[in-house]
Amino acid sequence: MIDTREIGHRAGSSHAYKRSAPAPAGFGLDMIKVPEGEPVELDLLAESVVEGVLVSGTAVAHLAGECVRCLDPISDELEVEVRELFAYPDSATDATSDDDEVERVVDDLVDLEPVVRDAMLLSLPSAPLCSPDCQGLCSGCGVKWAELAPDHTHETIDPRWAALQERFGGTEEEK
């Protein structure tokens, strides 16, 4: 939360903020997220404009998750740009926009959590990888492809041909 009384309602006045807030539960996606309680560092500038308060700056947080291919743990840092107009009550923007179109200044306070959460969630990779060339796991044995020999294979027989193998006694290599 930012108290806009520090800025005033004069267009052009501004105030810089450096804040750290703990991440709430569920601050991410299934495979990668900001762990609950992890600090989200905010470096923001709140500027009073005619219609309200314009908040811009950056949000930085530590990420933790799993690679979608090999399930190895991933640790990274995410930095996102934040820029949002919070309309004053009874301003032209407040009167001409729907409730869900623009954020509002409520009791001289600005709630940054939805804005920061949305910016971070939209910047998270939907399929995080430990490295761009991760080959994942062998579907036959579940071992990472990077740890297996180049000639690693699993003999699989199409179930439609299995009856012929049983009748004629195996594969050519077995004879």
Side-chain angles (χ1 to χ4, degrees):
M1 293 288 221
I2 290 178
D3 189 346
T4 62
R5 289 177 284 205
E6 296 173 350
I7 304 166
H9 286 261
R10 285 187 324 249
S13 59
S14 64
H15 192 275
Y17 295 91
K18 286 193 183 275
R19 299 267 169 93
S20 180
F27 204 69
L29 305 174
D30 289 337
M31 297 302 286
I32 193 160
K33 62 183 154 205
V34 179
E36 183 177 357
E38 186 74 26
V40 177
E41 303 295 331
L42 303 170
D43 186 6
L44 304 169
L45 178 66
E47 301 173 86
S48 182
V49 295
V50 174
E51 296 300 317
V53 176
L54 178 65
V55 177
S56 56
T58 59
V60 180
H62 174 75
L63 298 174
E66 294 179 331
C67 175
V68 294
R69 292 184 186 161
C70 68
L71 303 177
D72 277 354
I74 296 175
S75 180
D76 201 3
E77 186 174 273
L78 177 66
E79 180 174 341
V80 295
E81 293 289 324
V82 176
R83 186 174 191 86
E84 188 75 29
L85 173 67
F86 292 83
Y88 288 132
D90 303 322
S91 68
T93 300
D94 189 43
T96 60
S97 60
D98 292 333
D99 287 339
D100 60 348
E101 282 185 285
V102 70
E103 298 290 333
R104 311 279 186 223
V105 176
V106 179
D107 296 329
D108 290 323
L109 296 174
V110 168
D111 185 8
L112 296 170
E113 183 181 342
V115 173
V116 171
R117 183 189 64 238
D118 290 351
M120 289 197 136
L121 289 178
L122 291 172
S123 297
L124 289 175
S126 58
L129 299 174
C130 59
S131 68
D133 60 343
C134 178
Q135 298 174 349
L137 304 175
C138 172
S139 61
C141 61
V143 176
K144 289 175 46 172
W145 279 109
E147 297 172 357
L148 295 171
D151 60 343
H152 176 78
T153 61
H154 293 277
E155 185 72 29
T156 57
I157 297 177
D158 189 324
R160 296 171 290 187
W161 296 102
L164 288 174
Q165 181 184 13
E166 289 173 13
R167 178 158 188 194
F168 294 111
T171 64
E172 288 294 321
E173 294 173 353
E174 292 174 348
K175 290 182 182 181

